[in-house]
Amino acid sequence: MTNSPDIDWAVSDAPVSYAAALAVMEARARAIREDGARELVWFLEHPPLYTAGTSARPEDLRDPARFPVFDAGRGGQYTYHGPGQRVAYIMLDVGARGRDVRAFVANLEAWIIRALAAFNVDAGVREGRVGVWVDRTAPGGPLREDKIAAIGVRLKRWVSLHGISLNVEPDLEHFTGITPCGIDDARYGVTSFAGLGRVVSMAEADMALRDAFEDVFGSRLVKVAEPGL
């Protein structure tokens, strides 16, 4: 690990509303930019909801009355968040970390892939498809790949907002209310640790994410109280 500044790490045990999370992210990003506040990685879960990125298409919201829908302000299209999914919001000073957006996104991908490897899940990225994927193709069968983690970030004056979501044990049927990330192709679906037959607790997923983050980003995560809501 490189000798980079420590980063605050908060974990919320109770579900956090999307509006409250956005407010916290915006306030912390502003404090990082203007006041030199410490960077923050925040682990949480949301109640069931859909979020729309800046490229979201109306036709990809298949069931608009099912769950609340929020304009996320991040890149990307429609995404589902809900119980059993670990959301990690990343408020990092990308400006102080080299101003390389592609490298930043590649590090987010590497972070997830490394955390999944801790549970012997072989995952990777795919050209033209955002997120982290696992190959579910049966021997001799047609191609089948499932997304296990999503990535959606925004940079505001070089400080990042939003982040990643990793499917631990969410209700995968909830994804049917949208076209996840705009990919409408029977070969590509959504899965989770549970969907892969892996029994992984949220606490175990958190520890793997923490260790992988420190390895990839070269900064130590220091546990702090959850941000004020």
Side-chain angles (χ1 to χ4, degrees):
M1 185 186 302
T2 62
N3 188 24
S4 296
D6 291 345
I7 296 173
D8 287 349
W9 173 43
V11 180
S12 292
D13 295 324
V16 178
S17 76
Y18 197 72
L22 283 178
V24 168
M25 276 194 287
E26 290 281 357
R28 185 58 169 256
R30 188 181 309 112
I32 292 169
R33 287 192 307 268
E34 299 176 3
D35 305 323
R38 291 226 315 195
E39 297 169 307
L40 173 66
V41 173
W42 183 17
F43 287 5
L44 55 88
E45 292 175 82
H46 284 304
L49 56 91
Y50 298 128
T51 66
T54 54
S55 302
R57 300 175 299 189
E59 62 269 24
D60 287 336
L61 183 58
R62 296 173 173 172
D63 190 356
R66 186 172 193 182
F67 298 129
V69 181
F70 295 89
D71 183 359
R74 53 157 175 79
Q77 301 180 345
Y78 280 105
T79 299
Y80 167 76
H81 294 311
Q85 181 190 71
R86 175 52 85 212
V87 173
Y89 288 136
I90 316 300
M91 286 139 275
L92 297 184
D93 187 347
V94 180
R97 291 171 175 267
R99 295 198 173 201
D100 189 332
V101 177
R102 288 191 178 186
F104 175 60
V105 173
N107 279 341
L108 294 177
E109 295 166 343
W111 171 28
I112 299 167
I113 292 166
R114 187 177 294 245
L116 290 166
F119 302 99
N120 295 316
V121 174
D122 183 14
V125 296
R126 303 292 188 265
E127 186 175 354
R129 284 185 271 139
V130 178
V132 174
W133 299 76
V134 293
D135 189 345
R136 308 294 302 281
T137 305
L143 174 69
R144 170 72 189 198
E145 293 188 327
D146 288 345
K147 178 184 283 191
I148 193 169
I151 297 172
V153 294
R154 176 187 180 192
L155 294 183
K156 199 168 183 179
R157 290 171 55 191
W158 289 105
V159 176
S160 64
L161 297 97
H162 304 280
I164 69 163
S165 58
L166 173 63
N167 296 331
V168 179
E169 195 175 4
D171 186 338
L172 295 178
E173 198 274 333
H174 288 177
F175 285 88
T176 62
I178 58 172
T179 302
C181 298
I183 299 175
D184 188 12
D185 187 320
R187 297 174 298 173
Y188 308 130
V190 180
T191 194
S192 63
F193 278 127
L196 295 174
R198 304 295 205 282
V199 179
V200 177
S201 69
M202 193 64 74
E204 290 170 331
D206 286 352
M207 292 304 98
L209 285 167
R210 181 201 63 186
D211 293 346
F213 183 95
E214 292 182 342
D215 288 343
V216 171
F217 285 90
S219 292
R220 186 170 63 112
L221 291 179
V222 179
K223 194 76 172 289
V224 297
E226 69 174 335
L229 298 173

